[in-house]
Amino acid sequence: MYFFIIEMDQKYIKLDDSVLNQILKTETDLRDYSQQVESALKNHENLAIDKYIKSGEHIVTLHKHLNDCENVLEHTESVLFTFQEELQNITNEITRLQQRSIFMAQQLCNRQSVKGLMHQFIEDVIVSETLISVITTCSVTDEKFSTHLSVLNYKILFVDEQNFKDIKSQNDVKDVIEKLKITAITKIRHFIMDQINKFKKPTTNYHIPQNTLFEYKFLFEFLLNHDSISVQEIYNDYVDAMSKVYFTYFKSYLSYLQKFQFEEAATKDDLLAVEDPTSRSLFQKSIKKNTVFTIGNRAAVLNEIDSSIIIPHQNNLTNLSFETLFRSVQYALVDNACREYKFDCEFFKVDQPTAQGLFSQIMGKTLGLLIKHLENYVENCYDALALFLCGQLSMRYQVLCQHRLVPVLAQYWDTMLAMIGTRFRFILKRHIQSVKDYDVSKFNKEKKPHFIMRRYAELVSAIVSYSENNKYEPELICSLTEEVLGLVLRLATMFSTRKDRLIFLVNNYDLVLRILMERVRDNTFEVDRFKEELSARSKDYVDEVLHVYFGGMMEFVTDAENGRDTDAESRQLGLAKTFTSTWKMSLEEINKEILPSFPNLTTGASLLQLAFSQLIDYYHRFQKVLLASNKAQLPNIHVIMIEIKKYKTNY
């Protein structure tokens, strides 16, 4: 593309192909055309010069105005530059002031911190006249002394701490504080030793000085922090004094209680299968001897584990059982031991293992005395119930100590229970052996309950009913039960007739079961065993009695039900006539026979009703197997039942 550029008024006009095409079409000479354009431009230039000349005044005025504006702008620029410099100066000043303010604030904070620390340090170090006066003049029991003793204790610890920091100022008060510490230690030591010395007086209630020591236990805590020598001295004196106090107290208490014990206890001859001697010489004194097999009111001691102890000079009591005295001694031990253990922990500020060691030093001789006392009793004891009750008391006191969080008597209770249990098992084995060795030839053949069965029932019911969870020597109790059951069967063989043997067995089983049921739960081995035996022997006895009066009918029913030949009409007719003519009289005879045979009227009545029920059952089965022609000879079953109701008792 070709184009020409013409300059006019510093503007450029672009001639494109269309202008050139027009020039070429007119066939104009380019030189002429160039001259024309140049002439036009010259004219325009002249016109522009004329206009400029005519506007000269305005241009001059405009030039002045522009100069004035330029001057104003220069002045404004100068002012702004000046203002900018001043603002920069102000900014720098503000920054400087801000830095100075932060520095001054930090200085103020540091001075206040130093002031607080210095004030606290001075307060901690300074020893006031009041502190000196109270520590040196007041009694240790004075409230002021306890308050200022805490202050002195703090100052002592504070000064000791400053020794490690190499602070010189604490040297000014160190001697004063040390003298006050010695003064306080001396007064506290004398006070505590005076209280311990009171334990050694024979008539002193040791609880009073012990309560005083416990009330001022903070005094001993001060010694713990600052004088180990005095602490050890107090520790040794306290252990020695209290050990003698407890040993003397329990030794004298045991000797007092022995005066109230039964004059005679059970002997080696007081066995389950050994009869009591019936003869007594004219000059032999009557001895109030506690029963060996019947617990009676002796079990009440188990409900009195936390009752007051027996006070000899305030109780006019005699003939107390050993377990009653044992309960009083053991409760006194538990009460004193729990009190002593908690005092040791609180006063001496020791942990549990150390407290147990301290307790052993204090109570060791006393516990040994009580164990030896029980050992002397157990060696010659043949009273199983006394040992059983003592064992139960020991277990309950063991639980009581656990509830009180006092573990120091655990080994003591284990020792006591082991000692009691060993002797108790020995006595039970002797009772079992006596039953095995019983000479049945001495039996007088009375059908009433045998004395061994009553003794067994009383002894076993007491042990099973009052033992924890019914698990006190269960194996030996089971062995004793089986031996007694074997003995009663051997005794029954001494009777000539089966009916007498069954009466004897039922009477004995019934007696044992009644005694057991009064105290023992139904689901025990002993109850289940005797229920089983009583049920079986009762059924046998009823069958034996019915067979005497209705034996023919019973055999006929048995034969018919077993498929034997019973179709003989003459036999059926004879049995029917016999029953019809004799059943009322037989009921009367059965009633007269059963009721007098059993001392327990309830047992007799229940057996009578069992016999009548069995009779009704046989009669109903008898009617089923009879021929229709023979049934007419029999009375209606409802008539028999109405007659039976006449013999129903109200017991």
Side-chain angles (χ1 to χ4, degrees):
M1 182 188 306
Y2 301 98
F3 60 89
F4 298 93
I5 301 175
I6 300 174
E7 182 177 355
M8 181 181 287
D9 295 334
Q10 297 181 347
K11 295 182 179 180
Y12 298 93
I13 300 174
K14 295 181 180 179
L15 298 179
D16 53 12
D17 293 343
S18 61
V19 178
L20 295 176
N21 289 335
Q22 185 179 1
I23 296 173
L24 294 174
K25 286 179 180 179
T26 58
E27 298 180 357
T28 306
D29 189 2
L30 289 178
R31 290 186 294 271
D32 293 337
Y33 187 78
S34 174
Q35 290 178 358
Q36 289 177 5
V37 172
E38 184 179 355
S39 177
L41 289 174
K42 189 67 173 179
N43 290 334
H44 282 299
E45 182 181 0
N46 293 331
L47 289 175
I49 292 171
D50 291 340
K51 287 181 181 181
Y52 182 78
I53 293 171
K54 290 180 181 180
S55 302
E57 294 180 1
H58 295 291
I59 291 174
V60 172
T61 304
L62 179 60
H63 179 71
K64 291 181 179 180
H65 285 312
L66 290 174
N67 289 333
D68 292 339
C69 288
E70 185 177 1
N71 295 331
V72 172
L73 289 174
E74 288 179 358
H75 177 72
T76 302
E77 183 181 13
S78 176
V79 172
L80 290 175
F81 275 122
T82 303
F83 184 68
Q84 184 180 9
E85 292 177 357
E86 291 179 354
L87 286 178
Q88 184 65 38
N89 293 334
I90 292 173
T91 300
N92 294 336
E93 184 65 21
I94 291 173
T95 302
R96 187 182 65 81
L97 291 175
Q98 186 178 13
Q99 293 176 350
R100 185 178 180 186
S101 175
I102 293 173
F103 178 74
M104 294 177 68
Q106 185 63 43
Q107 283 184 327
L108 177 62
C109 181
N110 292 339
R111 289 177 180 179
Q112 288 178 343
S113 299
V114 171
K115 177 183 177 181
L117 292 174
M118 289 297 295
H119 181 270
Q120 185 62 42
F121 179 81
I122 293 172
E123 287 291 328
D124 293 341
V125 170
I126 193 172
V127 180
S128 65
E129 293 292 336
T130 304
L131 177 61
I132 297 173
S133 175
V134 170
I135 295 298
T136 55
T137 60
C138 290
S139 171
V140 295
T141 58
D142 194 335
E143 185 177 356
K144 292 181 180 180
F145 185 87
S146 61
T147 303
H148 286 77
L149 185 66
S150 300
V151 176
L152 177 61
N153 182 63
Y154 176 79
K155 291 184 180 298
I156 294 172
L157 297 176
F158 181 79
V159 169
D160 290 342
E161 182 182 354
Q162 303 313 308
N163 286 332
F164 296 100
K165 298 180 181 180
D166 196 22
I167 296 177
K168 304 299 182 181
S169 58
Q170 55 91 19
N171 294 328
D172 296 337
V173 296
K174 185 176 181 180
D175 293 340
V176 177
I177 292 178
E178 185 67 22
K179 291 179 180 179
L180 287 177
K181 182 180 79 171
I182 295 173
T183 302
I185 289 173
T186 303
K187 296 176 71 172
I188 292 172
R189 177 186 171 279
H190 285 317
F191 171 75
I192 295 178
M193 294 300 292
D194 287 343
Q195 298 301 318
I196 293 176
N197 289 332
K198 291 180 180 179
F199 294 143
K200 303 175 183 179
K201 297 180 180 179
T203 59
T204 300
N205 181 0
Y206 68 91
H207 286 168
I208 297 176
Q210 195 175 53
N211 289 337
T212 303
L213 287 176
F214 189 79
E215 182 181 358
Y216 295 100
K217 59 183 179 181
F218 62 90
L219 299 176
F220 185 78
E221 186 176 357
F222 182 85
L223 294 182
L224 279 174
N225 294 329
H226 307 294
D227 189 6
S228 59
I229 297 176
S230 296
V231 167
Q232 189 62 41
E233 181 184 4
I234 291 172
Y235 181 93
N236 294 335
D237 282 0
Y238 179 82
V239 169
D240 181 66
M242 291 307 297
S243 176
K244 293 178 180 178
V245 167
Y246 285 124
F247 182 81
T248 303
Y249 168 74
F250 279 97
K251 183 178 181 181
S252 59
Y253 189 56
L254 288 173
S255 64
Y256 281 129
L257 291 183
Q258 286 179 346
K259 299 176 181 179
F260 302 133
Q261 191 173 347
F262 279 105
E263 294 182 2
E264 182 177 324
T267 66
K268 62 181 180 180
D269 296 326
D270 291 315
L271 297 174
L272 201 65
V274 176
E275 298 186 37
D276 291 331
T278 55
S279 61
R280 186 184 299 272
S281 66
L282 180 64
F283 301 100
Q284 186 177 2
K285 66 177 182 179
S286 176
I287 298 175
K288 295 181 179 180
K289 180 179 177 182
N290 194 21
T291 175
V292 179
F293 306 103
T294 304
I295 197 166
N297 295 326
R298 297 174 69 179
V301 72
L302 298 177
N303 299 323
E304 302 172 354
I305 60 171
D306 54 354
S307 299
S308 301
I309 65 172
I310 299 173
I311 302 176
H313 62 276
Q314 292 184 0
N315 294 274
N316 187 18
L317 301 175
T318 55
N319 293 336
L320 296 178
S321 61
F322 177 79
E323 62 269 12
T324 302
L325 306 180
F326 181 83
R327 181 212 69 83
S328 183
V329 173
Q330 301 309 312
Y331 184 64
L333 173 65
V334 170
D335 192 42
N336 283 278
C338 292
R339 176 189 178 90
E340 182 61 38
Y341 176 73
K342 292 182 178 180
F343 175 85
D344 295 342
C345 292
E346 292 291 330
F347 185 78
F348 291 101
K349 303 295 180 183
V350 293
D351 55 11
Q352 181 174 322
T354 306
Q356 289 183 341
L358 174 59
F359 180 85
S360 298
Q361 294 180 48
I362 296 174
M363 298 290 291
K365 292 178 62 177
T366 301
L367 297 181
L369 172 69
L370 297 181
I371 292 173
K372 185 64 177 178
H373 177 263
L374 179 65
E375 183 180 359
N376 293 335
Y377 173 79
V378 165
E379 286 178 354
N380 300 310
C381 177
Y382 294 91
D383 188 351
L385 289 179
L387 292 174
F388 166 74
L389 292 173
C390 290
Q392 292 298 308
L393 287 170
S394 297
M395 287 189 286
R396 283 165 169 78
Y397 283 127
Q398 188 176 32
V399 173
L400 180 61
C401 290
Q402 293 173 357
H403 289 167
R404 294 184 180 183
L405 303 178
V406 179
V408 290
L409 290 179
Q411 185 176 358
Y412 169 79
W413 296 125
D414 291 341
T415 303
M416 299 289 275
L417 288 171
M419 193 185 308
I420 293 171
T422 301
R423 188 65 181 184
F424 180 76
R425 289 188 292 272
F426 170 77
I427 296 175
L428 279 185
K429 290 177 182 178
R430 283 178 55 85
H431 287 314
I432 294 172
Q433 190 62 41
S434 70
V435 175
K436 289 181 180 180
D437 298 341
Y438 183 75
D439 186 4
V440 295
S441 62
K442 297 179 181 180
F443 181 44
N444 56 11
K445 298 182 182 181
E446 292 183 0
K447 289 181 283 186
K448 65 181 181 180
H450 197 268
F451 76 92
I452 296 178
M453 301 303 290
R454 179 177 292 278
R455 287 180 178 181
Y456 161 82
E458 294 287 352
L459 179 63
V460 171
S461 64
I463 294 174
V464 175
S465 61
Y466 290 106
S467 62
E468 292 289 334
N469 300 322
N470 289 343
K471 292 182 179 180
Y472 202 83
E473 302 297 339
E475 295 182 358
L476 288 177
I477 297 298
C478 291
S479 298
L480 180 61
T481 300
E482 295 300 333
E483 288 298 330
V484 168
L485 287 171
L487 173 64
V488 76
L489 291 176
R490 296 200 307 272
L491 294 173
T493 59
M494 302 298 293
F495 293 95
S496 58
T497 64
R498 185 170 186 267
K499 185 186 296 184
D500 289 341
R501 289 196 292 270
L502 291 172
I503 292 174
F504 175 75
L505 291 174
V506 170
N507 278 330
N508 282 277
Y509 294 153
D510 176 67
L511 171 70
V512 173
L513 192 59
R514 280 190 293 107
I515 295 175
L516 289 175
M517 292 293 289
E518 289 177 0
R519 301 170 182 166
V520 182
R521 297 184 310 220
D522 292 341
N523 58 349
T524 60
F525 167 79
E526 294 76 22
V527 171
D528 293 341
R529 192 75 175 82
F530 277 92
K531 276 185 176 181
E532 177 186 348
E533 292 294 333
L534 179 61
S535 176
R537 300 293 83 78
S538 296
K539 187 177 182 303
D540 292 344
Y541 172 72
V542 167
D543 289 341
E544 189 73 19
V545 172
L546 290 178
H547 197 272
V548 174
Y549 301 97
F550 302 101
M553 181 188 69
M554 295 168 65
E555 291 176 357
F556 179 80
V557 170
T558 302
D559 292 342
E561 291 177 346
N562 291 332
R564 300 189 185 95
D565 183 17
T566 58
D567 293 336
E569 185 176 355
S570 61
R571 182 184 178 189
Q572 292 189 12
L573 183 61
L575 290 173
K577 289 182 178 180
T578 301
F579 182 86
T580 303
S581 62
T582 62
W583 68 273
K584 283 188 178 181
M585 184 184 303
S586 296
L587 292 182
E588 179 67 25
E589 292 299 324
I590 290 173
N591 178 66
K592 290 180 180 180
E593 179 177 348
I594 291 179
L595 290 180
S597 298
F598 300 96
N600 185 5
L601 297 179
T602 303
T603 302
S606 64
L607 288 172
L608 180 63
Q609 293 304 314
L610 178 62
F612 288 157
S613 298
Q614 192 79 344
L615 173 61
I616 294 297
D617 179 64
Y618 271 111
Y619 184 68
H620 183 67
R621 291 154 61 191
F622 180 59
Q623 286 182 321
K624 285 184 178 181
V625 298
L626 281 179
L627 297 175
S629 59
N630 295 325
K631 290 182 181 179
Q633 303 291 330
L634 296 175
N636 190 289
I637 193 171
H638 295 290
V639 175
I640 298 176
M641 293 177 68
I642 291 173
E643 185 67 21
I644 287 175
K645 288 182 178 179
K646 296 179 182 179
Y647 299 99
K648 187 175 182 180
T649 59
N650 295 326
Y651 44 83

